[in-house]
Amino acid sequence: MLSWRGDAGGGKRNSSFVWNDFMLLPLTQAVENRDPSAPWLAGRQSPWVLPLIHGFLEQVRCSVFGRSVTVTLISRRSRQFAGTRYLKRGINDYGFTANDVDTEQIVHDRCGGDPVWGQFASYAQMRASVPLFWSQESNAMIAKPPILIQKYDPVHRALRSHFS
């Protein structure tokens, strides 16, 4: 499932979707290195550390063959190589692809499975630009502008960084 912290147990956080990560880093370090003389703070998330995500959330309750199901759609956009569609294309030198979007669809059937919680199904998908150095000229007069290969990378350093 989508999470800021990485895994359900806390673990390493995934900051590629947190747009204000550069501002939160000092606060996060201060919260993680808490004063031992303040035991009431142990294991708590600070209210001052609020990650900002650029994304979309919608939840709809509908009926499918007479059964009540809730469909939730969550999308978040990466901050690493973001831009408008025709101005950001391909991959950068650090291995980040343009306009990377992580989407999860969750279906909750309240009637099936467990009598209290029901049944859940989830589908996660990542979408981004093709991980090569390429671009397209944005021109309103041309319906399909030609694809331009910008940079020659014989050892595919950026591509290897992307997949690692």
Side-chain angles (χ1 to χ4, degrees):
M1 291 180 96
L2 304 177
S3 72
W4 179 59
R5 299 291 297 175
D7 62 357
K12 184 180 177 186
R13 61 191 188 92
N14 183 359
S15 66
S16 63
F17 296 97
V18 180
W19 286 68
N20 61 340
D21 188 58
F22 65 97
M23 294 189 305
L24 292 181
L25 199 56
L27 289 172
T28 305
Q29 290 171 346
V31 167
E32 289 173 356
N33 300 327
R34 290 195 175 112
D35 184 9
S37 64
W40 60 87
L41 290 176
R44 290 191 181 170
Q45 178 75 24
S46 170
W48 296 102
V49 178
L50 182 66
L52 295 179
I53 309 289
H54 179 212
F56 175 81
L57 170 70
E58 186 169 356
Q59 192 169 42
V60 177
R61 204 177 258 180
C62 57
S63 177
V64 178
F65 299 118
R67 296 174 79 157
S68 175
V69 296
T70 304
V71 179
T72 306
L73 185 67
I74 306 168
S75 291
R76 60 185 182 171
R77 189 171 182 204
S78 174
R79 67 177 171 84
Q80 301 294 347
F81 194 43
T84 58
R85 184 174 172 206
Y86 287 106
L87 296 180
K88 290 283 187 166
R89 297 288 198 162
I91 195 169
N92 66 6
D93 290 326
Y94 304 106
F96 297 113
T97 53
N99 301 314
D100 190 3
V101 177
D102 187 10
T103 302
E104 184 170 4
Q105 174 187 331
I106 304 166
V107 178
H108 179 206
D109 179 7
R110 298 182 193 288
C111 300
D114 185 46
V116 176
W117 295 103
Q119 207 170 353
F120 287 90
S122 175
Y123 177 72
Q125 174 183 355
M126 291 200 67
R127 177 198 64 81
S129 185
V130 176
L132 297 172
F133 291 105
W134 67 282
S135 67
Q136 278 183 313
E137 187 177 323
S138 58
N139 188 343
M141 300 302 287
I142 302 172
K144 290 185 179 180
I147 294 174
L148 308 170
I149 304 296
Q150 293 178 329
K151 194 176 185 181
Y152 181 66
D153 187 13
V155 293
H156 306 291
R157 186 171 296 142
L159 185 65
R160 285 183 192 171
S161 177
H162 171 72
F163 285 110
S164 64

